[in-house]
Structure formats: C-alpha cells, structure tokens
Amino acid sequence: MGERTIPTSRNKESGSGWAIVLALIIAVFGIPIAVGGAYLISLGGSWYYLPAGLGLLLTSYFLFKHSKNAVWIYLITYIGTVIWALWERGFDAWAQVPRLVAPTVILLLILLTLPAFRSAMWRSRSGVAVAAIAVIAVIGVMNNDRFFTKTAIAQEESSATVAPVEQTPVSEMPAVDGNSPSTSKSRGKSEEIVEEPAAPAETNFVALKSGEDWPAYGGTHMATRYSPLTEITPENVENLQKIWEFRTGDLPEDDEPFGNQNTPVKVGNRLYVCSALNKISALNAATGSEYWTFDPKTPMDAIGYNASCRGLVYFEDPTVKSTDLCAARVINLTHDARMISLDTETGQPCEDFGNNGIVNLLEGIGDTAPGFYAPTSPPTLVRDVLVVGSQVSDGQTREAPSGVIRGYNVITGELEWAWDMGRPGETGLPPEGEIYTPGTPNMWTIASGDDELGLVYMPMGNSAVDYWGGDRSEEENTYSTSIVALDVETGKVAWSYQTVHYDVWDYDLGAQGTLVDFPTDDGPVPAIVMPSKQAQFYILNRETGEPLVNIEERKAPQGGVEPDRLSPTQPFVTDFPNLLKPELTEADMWGATPLDQLWCRIQFNQASYDGAYTPPTVDQPWIQYPGYNGGTDWGGISISPEGIMIANYNNMPNFNQLIPRKEVDKLGVLPITDPNYDPDIGGGSHGSISPQAQSPYGIRVNAGWRVPYTGLLCKEPPYGGIAAIDLNTRETLWDRPFGTARNNGPFGIPSMLPIDIGTPNNGGGVMTGSGLFFIAAATDDILRAIDIRTGEEIWQTVLPAGGQATPMTYEAEGRQIVVINAGGHDFMETKIGDYFIAYALPKNTSSPAGD
C-alpha cells in the first residue's frame, strides 16, 4: 500500500501552499547547515550539524511531497537537537538561544500552520507525547533560574520604578581591619584605607579632597572614585530626578568619530566641563547655568581615535591673592596638542602660562599628521607639576610620534623634565634638529599621583606597532605595558613593573591606577591597584614597586611569527580575585541561529588558539581572549574606605590575523602620514586592515569577533560584567552580567528587551558613603544606581545618548548631585550626544548631605 498523502480539498490547498513555502525556508537553512557541518567535522569540530542539516533537508523533501513523514522526521531532528543542546550546554539560557530558538520556531510552524499535518499528528497519541516532550524541554530551559534577569527602566526625567533594597548603611559596615566581625577569613591586621596622605610641610601645593567637591578626574589624583556623601541612599534613590541639563553643541558634522568621556571637575560653587572638541565651560554647580565657555577652536582634522576630552586639572596657587587672575585655574589638553590654562572666574587664558596661556606640546615631537598625536586625557598634578602624556593612533607606522612623558610647571608652563626612554639620562628638550624617540610606548590614559611620596604612576601603552616587535629597543621591551613610577621632581624612573612581557597583543594599560593603603598580614601598605585588559589586578607597593599579591610567571603559548622573541612566561596574579574567564571552547560559539553559530564554530576551528597570550599568526587567524578591549579600560575602578572595590569589565575575544606587507601594499592600505592616505581604506577595528607600516605585517582585527551580516558576536553572552571584591578578605562579593539587550540585536536593530545580557561597556563608576555605586558605561544608555553590598540595581534612568563616561557626585546648595556626560561612543556604537545631565533628590525630600 502506497504512502497516504494529504487530501486536496480547498481547505487543504492553503495548507499545501504553506507547506511548500516552509519547505523552501527549511531547505535554505538545511543546505548550508549540512555542508557546513561536513566541513566542521573535517576540522575536528562537532558532529551535530551534519545530521541536523540532513534532517532539515529530508523534512523539506517530504513537505514538498505533502507527506506527514515531514512531521516525524523533523520531530526526530528536533528531539535530537534538544538532547544535544542540553548535553553540550545544560540549562544556560543564553547558550541555548542559537541552539533551540530557531528550531522551536520551525517546529511551531510545522505543527500550527499545516492543518493536515497537525490533524494527522494529533490523531496519533505517540505524536502528542513527542511534541509535548519537545516543547516542555524548551520551556524548561527558558524558565531555568539562571535565565534572564528582568529590570524596569525609568524614562528620562522620571523617578525609577525599582524599589530599594533594605541595606545596612556603609557607615555601619565593619572597617577593614583584623578584628572585623566578618565570617570570611581575614588577611591579617589592617586599618581603614586612607585616600589622602598628609602633604609634607616643605611643599606648598594644595591637596583637595572629594566630598563636597570633586576636584580631579578620579575624585582626587589618587583615583579612588569615592565620595563620602550620604544624602542619596538606597532607601531614597528611587526619588532621584533630573534637575538640569547642559549641552555643549559639539556633535559630528559628517562621519567624524566622536565619543566624549568627560568626568567634570567641581570646586566651590562651580562645575568645569570639557566638550568633545575641547571647549571648557564653567557652570553653576547647583543649577547648571553657564558662567563662561572657552572655545580653543580645535579643528575636526585633529581628531585621533575619537573626539573625546576625559577631564581637566584644577589648581589653586596658595602664593597669590585669591582675587588675582589665575589664582585658581583649570588646565586642558586639546586634540591638536595644546595645553591651555584658564582663569576659573573669567575663562581668560593665564598670561604667565606658556605663551599667553598656551603650551605647544608638539615641541620636540617633530612633524606629524593631524590626529596622529592627539591628547584625550588630562594631565596629572603632583607637587605642582603637570605630568603629560598623549594618545598616539595605533597601527599606523613604526615611525610614530614619541611616547615621551613630560612634566611642566603648573604656574609657568615651563618644561621641568622629559622622560624619553630612548634617550636615557637626558631630561630636557632634544638637541636642535632632533626629536624625542619615535615609536616608543605612550601613556594615552590618566596617571595617578602621590604628593607625599612625590611619585606619579603611569599606565604605559605599547610601542607604535602593536602586533610585531622585532625591532623594539631594550628600553621599549622594559617599559612597554608597564606601571612606571616617576619621581615628579626629576622625571627619573623610581621603579617599574611589567604586566605583559613582549606585548604583541595591544594589552596596553588603559585604566588609571588607584592609590590606597592595602591590607596585608603585616598591616596596611601604601599601594597602587592596577586593573588590566587581561582582567587581572596587579597590586604593588607604590613606594617600591614590590608586589603585595602573589604574581606567578606561568608558561605562555609559543610559536607564531616571532617564536624566538616571545616571552616563555607571562605574569598571573594567583592569590587575589581576578575577572579572567575560562578559556574558550567550540561550545562557547554563539549567534542568532544555528547557521551563524555554525559559522563561528568553523572559524574557531580554523583559528590558532592555545588560550591566553596565543601568539599572532599570518598563515591563519588567531583568537585573542581577552581581546584588546577586555578587562578594565579607561573607566578604572572604585574603592571605598571600607575596602570594597567595584570593577566593571569586558569579556570579549578578538579574531585577528597578520597580513603580509605585499598584500597590505597591494590593497592600498597606507598610514596616516602618507600623502595618499585614505581613511576609508583600512584602519578600522571590525575586520578592516591597519597598515603597521615599516614592519613585515599589517593587521586585521575583528574586535569582539563579529558575525558577518548580523553583526552579533561569536562568543556567547555575557560580554561584560561588574564585580565587587573585598580587599581585606580578598574575596569576590558578587560578580554578574552588566548591561541589558535593549539597544542590541541582529543587523543592528535594537531588541528593546530589558533583560541582562551583559553588554560591552566602557567608562567607570563612583561609589558613595551611603552604599551606592553610580555607573552607565554599558551600551543600553542607562544610568544606574547599584547596591554595593548585593550588586542589585535599585534605580535606573534612560540617557539621551551613550554614557561611556564616568559619573561624579558633589554637594551644592545643600544637595547631593550626580552628574554624567552622555556623549556616546562611536566604537561602542552608542548614540552620540553632547549632554551633561544632573540628578538630585527633590528639595522637599532632601536631607543634609553628610561626610
């Protein structure tokens, strides 16, 4: 007896038409899954995709034949998929999205849109049981306790809808000492972490503190990002509302890369902000009204990596009358390499500083293309010396501008010293006709400083060509990707500690080091806590550079194009929590559907990957994990006096490949210094090529390892997180994904889903004495308040643009105010804006701010 076919009544004709459409859709997926699955097996990968693809093709065939066998074959394929998915990844909901969502959709289409198939199936008890088991299995996965954590979102200018969590005030927390009534094991005797050491009597500098004011980028130049203010608490934070908004007017005219990351400075009744194109504005700290704005007329072609002004320096001169011009001043760096000093009352340039208020930072640098040497971070002020570094655009040419670090007198702008590692022993300007050593590691981020010790701590970057080091000097190999402490009086190296040996991964130190008294078995020790892109925390005695945690030299992968020059070991912190995640496996690959997950699995098996520090390769791609935007970047960390450290971090790989010089030249990829340079050819971060001129290779970097077309990332979520660590017990208090999926989705279409996926994030946060941590940073354009004890978000509001800047808080007219720069970021693909927004409690519910 032949196979029974579906009746051809008029009601069934519609179902037959849908069957053909569905058969075509399934075939479109089935062919590449089967072919790709066979190729994946040849690479040594998973055997699932080939039989799954064949199952789809058989399903498609029988749908064309109008045979109910299509239902049975697909059910077998689907059940096999569920079993495989649970075996490979368990009840991890995000991991199951590409494994089960699309197959479940197809199952529902087969069962619900094909009446003939459906009626035939429901007549079979076994069919009912099979379908029920399959659907229940998927529901079980999606309702697992570890599934999405939903959060409510408050609209801009409205109070939050998330109720506060009952909490013990920070003032009642046990101090960081050996007698703390903690259930965790103490590391020994210690005392409360002190943010500001007393200044020695022989100096006349003024060391300001955070609290009522916020006098420096990191709160102070010790960079704890902590305020003792307590008016805004976990109990009343839900009442926060926007009280003013200030717009700078600096927005892209065409496709210029913008991404302002400004943290304002506040002293007295004035707030000083800096725009993407380096305009400085003085605002009333309570109302946001403008006192003055100074426009340095920074040209668009001076923009380097992006248009950003992270911060300003505030200085008071105690040797003159407070009414004198520039008795108090703010200092700013511009993209076209000028250092400008302005009177805080009037906004006028300080005539005694440099040349009528301006110092030319290109002196000694030599000829350079616009945007190549482009400062974005503020100087650091230590003992009346402005310590200045600069961003130098990555990946261009070995003959890049020097990474020289210079110290300038804060009053006169005179050069006091220069640390040029290529000219040891020389601390002044180069001889006439010469320049500072080209291509040396630079400090593009922010230094921190200790007035008592007279030391400035510089997180150093890499040499000019990140992914090849064959002609680096001995000095470059010593100081690249190192914490370097300079004597601020002389510019001489006091000590240095290298966090990556022979860095060919662009693992430059991007965060500002935080200075605290670190608890040890022998009592508190003045320390620097240095976060890294490798998601580790290097904690060193800030006077001597000696590690205060155990740092072990572990064997590192070898090979690549420089096997004779790679370091055989790399340093790993072993007795302090890190945020480094397990090594990647094929099962970690992701996507929106089985098809793009298969693509990522194929790429994983095609690439070279031996774990962290896999060396660069030219004959095949290599996986760099964490990627160069991993761990902690410019936002830094926050540490409270009780010893609670909060760090947000990224958890993404790069998919890179070195490109031979001949191929780079053939493609016309040129450095920024070439007269024929075309910014539209190469030089990007999402798969295009950077030239690395004057080296054997260019470099293709796929930052985040994106899937073609959909733009999703190959690694499964989360892509970013946030964690709290107790410095006293050296234990992680909590660690969770950070950032919702509301602005993310395939093909760049926002999903609008308020579920915690853990997004890429850049920018730090500020901790307060009441136990709150304010941060935006993620790609969902949300400013949050987090309970530092639990990690729970207890207030949030939507920003009008990306919040890739560190917020700050201060007191003005008896109110605690929180301010953030919503400037967006081109690389993070968040909305670009020019906003400074302030939040406070309603006046009728405010209580006096405390310290």
Side-chain angles (χ1 to χ4, degrees):
M1 184 174 179
E3 170 67 29
R4 294 180 61 189
T5 58
I6 299 173
T8 56
S9 66
R10 184 170 301 177
N11 290 336
K12 302 301 181 183
E13 289 177 1
S14 174
S16 298
W18 280 115
I20 293 173
V21 172
L22 187 57
L24 287 171
I25 294 172
I26 292 173
V28 166
F29 280 90
I31 292 172
I33 287 176
V35 173
Y39 182 51
L40 182 61
I41 291 173
S42 74
L43 295 173
S46 172
W47 281 68
Y48 159 75
Y49 290 90
L50 176 58
L54 294 176
L56 289 173
L57 292 176
L58 283 173
T59 300
S60 176
Y61 171 78
F62 283 110
L63 280 172
F64 273 114
K65 297 283 290 184
H66 298 161
S67 169
K68 67 179 182 182
N69 284 342
V71 177
W72 299 115
I73 290 171
Y74 187 77
L75 279 173
I76 292 170
T77 303
Y78 182 80
I79 291 170
T81 296
V82 172
I83 293 171
W84 166 78
L86 295 177
W87 167 79
E88 189 176 59
R89 223 54 179 165
F91 292 95
D92 185 329
W94 280 118
Q96 299 301 357
V97 167
R99 291 171 173 85
L100 296 180
V101 170
T104 301
V105 170
I106 292 176
L107 175 65
L108 293 175
L109 289 174
I110 289 175
L111 296 180
L112 300 178
T113 65
L114 301 177
F117 288 173
R118 185 181 60 205
S119 61
M121 193 184 99
W122 291 125
R123 283 194 299 267
S124 168
R125 294 181 180 179
S126 59
V128 173
V130 168
I133 290 170
V135 174
I136 289 171
V138 174
I139 293 173
V141 171
M142 298 309 179
N143 284 280
N144 185 268
D145 289 340
R146 289 184 291 169
F147 195 52
F148 314 124
T149 301
K150 296 189 177 183
T151 54
I153 298 176
Q155 295 300 315
E156 184 182 356
E157 298 188 51
S158 68
S159 59
T161 59
V162 183
V165 178
E166 185 176 348
Q167 173 188 329
T168 303
V170 169
S171 59
E172 298 177 21
M173 292 182 183
V176 183
D177 58 48
N179 297 317
S180 168
S182 170
T183 57
S184 302
K185 182 180 179 181
S186 171
R187 297 292 300 184
K189 295 179 181 179
S190 59
E191 297 176 358
E192 186 171 278
I193 293 175
V194 179
E195 179 183 354
E196 293 286 357
E202 64 269 23
T203 59
N204 61 10
F205 54 84
V206 177
L208 300 174
K209 295 185 178 182
S210 60
E212 181 179 340
D213 293 328
W214 190 268
Y217 175 80
T220 70
H221 294 295
M222 304 197 61
T224 58
R225 293 175 183 80
Y226 171 83
S227 170
L229 297 181
T230 58
E231 179 189 7
I232 303 171
T233 69
E235 290 72 30
N236 64 25
V237 68
E238 64 178 334
N239 298 317
L240 274 188
Q241 58 184 213
K242 187 173 82 171
I243 60 170
W244 57 258
E245 174 185 291
F246 176 79
R247 302 192 65 176
T248 68
D250 278 359
L251 293 168
E253 295 177 355
D254 194 4
D255 294 323
E256 297 91 357
F258 270 54
N260 205 29
Q261 303 145 28
N262 184 243
T263 298
V265 166
K266 187 266 184 184
V267 179
N269 66 348
R270 295 198 175 194
L271 186 75
Y272 304 95
V273 304
C274 184
S275 75
L277 291 176
N278 309 125
K279 294 176 186 173
I280 302 176
S281 298
L283 311 179
N284 183 299
T287 67
S289 60
E290 181 180 352
Y291 289 117
W292 53 260
T293 291
F294 177 86
D295 186 354
K297 306 294 184 184
T298 302
M300 283 284 191
D301 67 1
I303 298 172
Y305 180 65
N306 61 16
S308 176
C309 178
R310 290 193 183 90
L312 304 161
V313 169
Y314 178 90
F315 170 73
E316 291 180 5
D317 186 351
T319 66
V320 300
K321 296 179 181 179
S322 61
T323 55
D324 289 353
L325 184 69
C326 292
R329 62 186 71 191
V330 286
I331 299 99
N332 176 42
L333 306 184
T334 65
H335 300 306
D336 54 354
R338 291 172 288 161
M339 180 162 56
I340 301 174
S341 181
L342 303 176
D343 175 61
T344 58
E345 286 297 313
T346 65
Q348 297 180 53
C350 300
E351 296 179 354
D352 57 350
F353 185 87
N355 183 11
N356 292 319
I358 298 175
V359 170
N360 177 17
L361 297 179
L362 292 178
E363 186 178 15
I365 297 295
D367 294 333
T368 181
F372 204 176
Y373 187 90
T376 53
S377 296
T380 296
L381 182 64
V382 183
R383 292 193 179 182
D384 299 349
V385 177
L386 295 164
V387 181
V388 178
S390 178
Q391 171 185 270
V392 177
S393 293
D394 288 344
Q396 298 300 313
T397 175
R398 189 70 178 96
E399 287 290 320
S402 178
V404 60
I405 308 294
R406 289 170 284 184
Y408 294 88
N409 185 288
V410 70
I411 296 174
T412 66
E414 293 181 4
L415 179 68
E416 298 201 348
W417 50 261
W419 179 56
D420 177 3
M421 64 183 69
R423 300 165 58 244
E426 300 181 39
T427 58
L429 280 167
E432 187 172 353
E434 297 183 22
I435 60 174
Y436 294 116
T437 309
T440 52
N442 64 307
M443 182 190 68
W444 61 265
T445 188
I446 307 102
S448 45
D450 186 330
D451 285 316
E452 184 177 77
L453 294 176
L455 296 178
V456 60
Y457 306 93
M458 298 175 304
M460 297 301 294
N462 209 346
S463 297
V465 175
D466 286 309
Y467 298 95
W468 184 80
D471 62 354
R472 293 176 185 169
S473 67
E474 181 180 350
E475 291 80 11
E476 288 176 274
N477 283 329
T478 297
Y479 297 116
S480 172
T481 319
S482 295
I483 310 163
V484 178
L486 293 183
D487 185 321
V488 78
E489 305 282 354
T490 65
K492 294 181 179 179
V493 176
W495 58 261
S496 69
Y497 185 90
Q498 189 167 66
T499 61
V500 180
H501 307 317
Y502 200 76
D503 183 0
V504 285
W505 301 275
D506 194 15
Y507 276 151
D508 51 341
L509 292 169
Q512 183 181 27
T514 295
L515 309 186
V516 296
D517 284 353
F518 185 69
T520 72
D521 292 338
D522 298 321
V525 176
I528 178 170
V529 182
M530 188 71 238
S532 71
K533 292 183 177 181
Q534 305 92 276
Q536 299 187 73
F537 301 95
Y538 300 90
I539 304 175
L540 311 173
N541 183 314
R542 67 175 184 261
E543 184 173 7
T544 66
E546 293 296 318
L548 297 175
V549 291
N550 187 58
I551 303 178
E552 177 182 296
E553 290 288 339
R554 292 182 178 174
K555 187 177 179 181
Q558 300 296 290
V561 298
E562 301 183 74
D564 297 332
R565 290 188 286 262
L566 291 177
S567 173
T569 63
Q570 294 292 349
F572 285 81
V573 178
T574 61
D575 67 340
F576 187 84
N578 63 56
L579 302 174
L580 188 65
K581 303 305 179 183
E583 292 183 2
L584 295 175
T585 67
E586 182 191 315
D588 293 313
M589 298 302 99
W590 205 66
T593 68
L595 191 57
D596 44 351
Q597 186 184 49
L598 172 60
W599 170 277
C600 293
R601 286 175 180 259
I602 289 172
Q603 285 204 321
F604 179 87
N605 284 280
Q606 288 175 328
S608 172
Y609 179 60
D610 295 317
Y613 301 106
T614 296
T617 49
V618 67
D619 54 334
Q620 65 183 131
W622 92 91
I623 296 169
Q624 178 184 341
Y625 181 65
Y628 73 64
N629 198 34
T632 305
D633 211 333
W634 69 76
I637 57 177
S638 177
I639 301 180
S640 75
E642 291 76 27
I644 306 301
M645 178 178 83
I646 297 183
N648 55 299
Y649 61 94
N650 286 308
N651 180 29
M652 299 177 295
N654 287 359
F655 193 77
N656 305 340
Q657 187 168 7
L658 293 171
I659 309 297
R661 175 59 46 206
K662 286 185 179 180
E663 185 176 338
V664 174
D665 294 342
K666 185 178 179 180
L667 292 171
V669 180
L670 300 171
I672 195 172
T673 52
D674 194 288
N676 298 313
Y677 168 72
D678 185 345
D680 294 325
I681 301 178
S685 298
H686 299 307
S688 56
I689 298 172
S690 294
Q692 294 200 143
Q694 299 181 318
S695 78
Y697 309 102
I699 181 67
R700 177 185 287 116
V701 176
N702 187 343
W705 190 0
R706 297 188 176 212
V707 180
Y709 308 115
T710 67
L712 296 177
L713 277 63
C714 266
K715 176 196 162 294
E716 71 185 27
Y719 307 119
I722 188 167
I725 296 171
D726 189 323
L727 299 189
N728 189 42
T729 63
R730 303 192 188 188
E731 293 183 349
T732 300
L733 302 177
W734 46 263
D735 183 6
R736 65 169 184 78
F738 173 49
T740 67
R742 65 183 296 270
N743 281 353
N744 301 99
F747 309 104
I749 301 171
S751 70
M752 301 310 295
L753 296 174
I755 51 180
D756 287 330
I757 189 173
T759 73
N761 58 91
N762 272 316
V766 55
M767 207 182 315
T768 73
S770 63
L772 292 174
F773 183 70
F774 289 95
I775 188 170
T779 59
D780 54 13
D781 302 347
I782 292 174
L783 174 64
R784 297 168 163 83
I786 294 175
D787 184 322
I788 70 170
R789 276 192 172 276
T790 65
E792 293 183 60
E793 297 173 13
I794 55 178
W795 173 83
Q796 54 183 217
T797 189
V798 176
L799 299 171
Q804 282 69 56
T806 302
M808 45 87 79
T809 187
Y810 58 86
E811 182 185 339
E813 295 184 0
R815 303 172 78 185
Q816 183 182 350
I817 298 173
V818 176
V819 173
I820 187 167
N821 174 204
H825 198 277
D826 62 305
F827 176 76
M828 303 291 289
E829 298 181 0
T830 56
K831 184 179 179 182
I832 304 300
D834 62 341
Y835 303 87
F836 286 88
I837 305 175
Y839 300 88
L841 298 173
K843 288 186 177 181
N844 60 351
T845 64
S846 298
S847 58
D851 289 341

